[in-house]
Amino acid sequence: MRYRWPDGKQSAVVLSFDFDAESGFLFREPEKAKRSLGDLEERRFGPRVGVDRILALLDRLKLRASLMNAFSACTSSFLPL
């Protein structure tokens, strides 16, 4: 049986963005995380800069989206070690 797309549409697309920020790094290597600012900053890029860029792009393209992320990645990115 063929699926009948609504309103004459022919396909759907799913875009998935995943970031864990520094949560995995802090869990796996907590001692290294305390002394490795470069590694932490690389992982903090997603929540600090990347998410806003993605949201702006979705807005500009008028694409609807649902977002879900690990709470720890959202909160730990704004807390000091």
Side-chain angles (χ1 to χ4, degrees), residues 16-72:
S16 177
F17 306 96
D18 178 29
F19 71 92
D20 297 319
E22 69 272 17
S23 59
F25 184 52
L26 292 172
F27 177 75
R28 284 189 316 270
E29 301 181 67
E31 290 306 311
K32 183 178 179 186
K34 290 178 183 176
R35 62 180 192 278
S36 184
L37 181 61
D39 285 330
L40 283 174
E41 284 304 306
E42 180 180 323
R43 286 162 176 83
R44 290 178 176 164
F45 180 86
R48 193 179 63 240
V49 178
V51 172
D52 287 337
R53 289 182 180 181
I54 291 168
L55 293 174
L57 176 65
L58 293 172
D59 187 48
R60 190 173 77 239
L61 297 173
K62 299 192 183 336
L63 296 175
R64 294 183 302 172
S66 297
L67 302 174
M68 194 237 13
N69 193 54
F71 179 74
S72 62

